Amino acid sequence: MSDPIVLGYQEMDTVHEEFEELLATAASCADQQLPQQIKVLVEHLKGHFAMEDAWMRQDGFPPAECHIAEHAAVLKSAEEVQPLVDKGNVHVGRSFVRTLASWFPAHATHLDSALAAWMCKRQLGGRPLVFHRRVASID
């Protein structure tokens, strides 16, 4: 597992950490547990995205529509996948979890980081400072 994605806005960082933990659990669970893990993941996504969408609408975040549309597309996929997994289609569920895991870093880095900076600037008067460990390269 990689380092968690930290953007410097505590509420967002907390929900992102929860999301990454749920993804890891869904990725490693037994097949018979996958339907329940997908259900938990979908419920988390609904709350996670509703929270971010509300921030964007309340605080006039300029690129809100693009960000909100991406959330809606992910939720639409999640709501299409869940009944298939409930009917025993484990392959679709595993593929969905892998897709979410590969989608999330770019979403967080590009869209959520801009929102985190906007929220910090509006509430605290400045951008967040986030320090990351430097990973040594192997030559």
Side-chain angles (χ1 to χ4, degrees):
M1 186 169 165
S2 63
D3 286 338
I5 296 170
V6 177
L7 303 174
Y9 188 66
Q10 186 60 48
E11 286 181 78
M12 185 182 290
D13 289 340
T14 298
V15 78
H16 285 176
E17 183 178 353
E18 291 168 4
F19 177 59
E20 289 177 320
E21 289 171 3
L22 291 173
L23 277 175
T25 299
S28 63
C29 74
D31 287 351
Q32 60 269 34
Q33 295 171 323
L34 189 60
Q36 178 59 31
Q37 294 304 317
I38 294 289
K39 180 180 178 182
V40 170
L41 196 54
V42 170
E43 289 306 309
H44 170 88
L45 286 171
K46 288 177 182 178
H48 176 164
F49 292 166
M51 179 180 71
E52 289 183 11
D53 291 356
W55 290 339
M56 289 184 273
R57 287 184 176 110
Q58 291 165 0
D59 286 332
F61 183 60
E65 293 310 313
C66 172
H67 197 155
I68 290 169
E70 189 164 304
H71 287 167
V74 171
L75 281 178
K76 183 177 184 298
S77 294
E79 291 171 349
E80 291 171 355
V81 164
Q82 188 172 0
L84 297 173
V85 176
D86 288 344
K87 291 178 184 173
N89 194 333
V90 175
H91 175 73
V92 168
R94 298 278 180 212
S95 177
F96 179 66
V97 170
R98 283 190 305 274
T99 300
L100 278 177
S102 66
W103 161 81
F104 182 63
H107 176 83
T109 299
H110 299 290
L111 297 179
D112 287 343
S113 67
L115 178 57
W118 177 263
M119 297 297 290
C120 286
K121 177 105 172 143
R122 304 267 302 173
Q123 291 178 7
L124 306 171
R127 300 189 78 178
L129 294 177
V130 179
F131 298 92
H132 298 279
R133 292 185 297 150
R134 178 177 284 178
V135 179
S137 62
I138 300 174
D139 293 327

